[in-house]
């Protein structure tokens, strides 16, 4: 199965990408799928849980939401919304999601501070309960807009921002 976060939401293909069909998180002109993360779990019936960051672009101001799928991306459940003003983010326009090997979910949210779009802000949030609740992961990266999150083999989390690449000081995941 191939999953795609696209301009109108979340889509999937069961034929190697020849055709795609819409999931239940798909609305033409109203949603923007901005990031997907597959968290492998051998005990799970599909072998993984999938998380997605989606911008609800039809809202004014926009809202960025975190979704979770337990059936390989066929259906999705919204777990949390980041609305304008939450965590000091104005107009949350893009999200980046990362499921780490310890089961945590990291959610980077970028705000668009109109009328000055150059003054974007961002925050990194972390969940230890499958995306149901989020806490601020730290402030050491300076509230820059997060563009990508990745887990390194040593267990550290890296954040590529609009200024630099940041990493956690200590591993967030125990590595044997």
């Amino acid at each position: 199965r191939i999953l795609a976060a696209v301009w109108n939401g979340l889509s999937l293909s069961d034929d190697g990408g020849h055709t795609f069909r819409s999931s239940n998180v798909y609305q033409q002109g109203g949603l923007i799928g901005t990031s997907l993360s597959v968290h492998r779990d051998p005990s799970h019936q599909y072998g993984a849980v999938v998380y997605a960051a989606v911008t609800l672009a039809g809202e004014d101001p926009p809202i960025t939401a975190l979704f979770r799928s337990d059936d390989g991306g066929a259906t999705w459940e919204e777990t949390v919304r980041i609305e304008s003003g939450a965590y000091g983010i104005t107009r949350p326009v893009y999200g980046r999601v990362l499921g780490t090997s310890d089961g945590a979910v990291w959610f980077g949210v970028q705000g668009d501070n109109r009328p000055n779009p150059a003054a974007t802000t961002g925050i990194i949030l972390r969940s230890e309960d499958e995306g149901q609740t989020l806490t601020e992961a730290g402030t050491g990266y300076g509230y820059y807009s997060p563009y990508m999150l990745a887990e390194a083999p040593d267990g550290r989390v890296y954040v590529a921002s609009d200024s630099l690449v940041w990493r956690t000081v200590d591993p967030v995941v125990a590595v044997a």
Side-chain angles (χ1 to χ4, degrees):
R1 177 168 283 176
I2 298 173
L3 303 177
V6 296
W7 185 256
N8 294 316
L10 305 173
S11 299
L12 60 146
S13 173
D14 288 320
D15 62 5
H18 294 285
T19 61
F20 280 83
R21 62 184 164 97
S22 305
S23 73
N24 64 313
V25 180
Y26 191 92
Q27 178 186 356
Q28 192 156 353
L31 301 174
I32 304 169
T34 58
S35 178
L36 290 168
S37 181
V38 177
H39 180 252
R40 298 196 187 286
D41 181 356
S43 65
H44 191 277
Q45 71 180 34
Y46 285 89
V49 175
V50 186
Y51 294 95
V54 176
T55 300
L56 296 108
E59 301 291 330
D60 188 26
I63 295 169
T64 295
L66 180 64
F67 286 81
R68 174 189 165 102
S69 175
D70 282 305
D71 60 5
T75 60
W76 297 85
E77 175 187 353
E78 183 179 316
T79 62
V80 69
R81 287 180 171 210
I82 307 298
E83 298 188 16
S84 190
Y87 303 100
I89 301 295
T90 304
R91 299 181 55 84
V93 292
Y94 292 107
R96 304 294 187 259
V97 63
L98 170 69
T100 51
S101 58
D102 65 345
V105 179
W106 295 69
F107 194 34
V109 180
Q110 173 186 341
D112 175 9
N113 292 330
R114 293 181 186 208
N116 182 9
T120 60
T121 57
I123 192 161
I124 306 296
L125 304 167
R126 186 171 193 261
S127 173
E128 295 182 3
D129 59 4
E130 301 176 331
Q132 297 300 312
T133 58
L134 299 168
T135 56
E136 191 170 351
T139 58
Y141 65 93
Y143 295 105
Y144 291 97
S145 294
Y147 291 128
M148 181 178 277
L149 293 93
E151 180 182 355
D154 69 357
R156 287 184 171 88
V157 171
Y158 284 76
V159 177
S161 74
D162 56 356
S163 68
L164 299 167
V165 175
W166 306 83
R167 72 168 171 82
T168 55
V169 175
D170 295 313
V172 296
V173 178
V175 178

